[in-house]
Amino acid sequence: MQIIAHIHTDFPTKFGVPRQSGLAESLRGTIVFTPPYRNPDALRGIEGFSHIWLIWQFHKALRDGFSPTVLPPKLGGKTRVGVFATRSPFRPNAIGLSSVRLLGVALHTPDGPLLHVAGADLVDGTPIFDIKPYLPYADCHTDATDAFADIRRDTPLRVVFPDEWLQIIPEDKREALFEVLALDTRPGYQNDPARRYGFNYAGFDVRFTIDGDTLTVVEIVKL
């Protein structure tokens, strides 16, 4: 398989990245193509679609060997389920699938054609193997069921973001950060209200605590 492009996002590491695409719609990403796929003709007509599928590589989770079961963090890290019943990155073939909103197409730039997308759940620099249009009539199943629905959080966390820290974050990055923080990216087995968590976002180290249903930002450090 050939790498056709890479995506650039505000997350250099995986902690903090939404667990699924579309959960934080304000997150922005830019797809940059690699030669010989840096050809505007390959994107002819794509602007007519509102969403696209990205097929990509879990390049930070590559490993030898195969385990038929995994321990999903959201199940507390103690319940084993079949790898093909999860979206774990630890798979026989480290391939991910994400549906993202297509915001815009720039065909002629110094870096070749670019795709601007929203709602991506990929770390910065993720290799992309393929791009396909999302087709509502075939890809949307309104009667689909979710085996883990009972353990998923129904409501987002309440985010307390003191103004002294909020002012450090650029205005165009704030809405997406609020969305990500509200998702609660912790593994299911971590619930210590005194513990400090943190992730890198848009050139900042965002540090916070979580007590019950409330997340409080306690420090922002510029990287």
Side-chain angles (χ1 to χ4, degrees):
M1 294 181 69
Q2 304 297 315
I3 295 172
I4 67 164
H6 294 83
I7 189 169
H8 295 292
T9 71
D10 286 320
F11 289 96
T13 59
K14 67 177 183 178
F15 187 65
V17 176
R19 285 188 171 84
Q20 305 295 338
S21 56
L23 295 182
E25 277 286 347
S26 296
L27 285 177
R28 299 292 185 260
T30 301
I31 297 171
V32 181
F33 290 84
T34 60
Y37 308 103
R38 193 171 287 180
N39 186 331
D41 287 340
L43 298 174
R44 189 182 302 171
I46 198 171
E47 70 280 356
F49 296 93
S50 64
H51 292 74
I52 55 176
W53 288 107
L54 305 180
I55 301 171
W56 48 276
Q57 183 184 48
F58 285 104
H59 65 300
K60 292 183 177 293
L62 298 176
R63 58 173 60 185
D64 294 326
F66 163 64
S67 174
T69 61
V70 294
L71 295 165
K74 271 300 181 184
L75 296 183
K78 297 179 181 179
T79 303
R80 284 199 170 272
V81 296
V83 63
F84 300 131
T86 75
R87 295 194 177 186
S88 167
F90 305 113
R91 322 187 67 78
N93 296 297
I95 295 174
L97 178 68
S98 297
S99 172
V100 297
R101 180 181 295 277
L102 181 60
L103 297 178
V105 182
L107 293 179
H108 305 287
T109 81
D111 295 318
L114 305 177
L115 297 181
H116 299 290
V117 300
D121 55 339
L122 290 77
V123 300
D124 185 53
T126 295
I128 296 175
F129 289 134
D130 204 359
I131 296 170
K132 298 177 185 291
Y134 178 96
L135 304 176
Y137 81 93
D139 295 340
C140 180
H141 301 279
T142 57
D143 59 342
T145 58
D146 178 357
F148 300 145
D150 291 343
I151 57 90
R152 300 193 196 282
R153 174 179 289 277
D154 292 329
T155 56
L157 293 173
R158 184 174 74 93
V159 177
V160 177
F161 209 133
D163 193 62
E164 63 176 308
W165 304 122
L166 181 61
Q167 294 304 318
I168 298 176
I169 303 295
E171 286 191 26
D172 63 335
K173 301 293 183 181
R174 293 176 188 174
E175 184 176 0
L177 180 55
F178 268 92
E179 290 180 2
V180 171
L181 291 170
L183 290 174
D184 190 357
T185 58
R186 298 173 301 170
Y189 52 82
Q190 292 184 1
N191 56 9
D192 181 0
R195 178 169 179 168
R196 272 193 173 200
Y197 300 91
F199 56 73
N200 294 342
Y201 168 79
F204 299 90
D205 185 8
V206 182
R207 302 173 184 177
F208 55 91
T209 60
I210 300 177
D211 188 356
D213 292 332
T214 300
L215 180 150
T216 303
V217 175
V218 295
E219 190 176 14
I220 301 290
V221 177
K222 186 172 177 57
L223 301 175

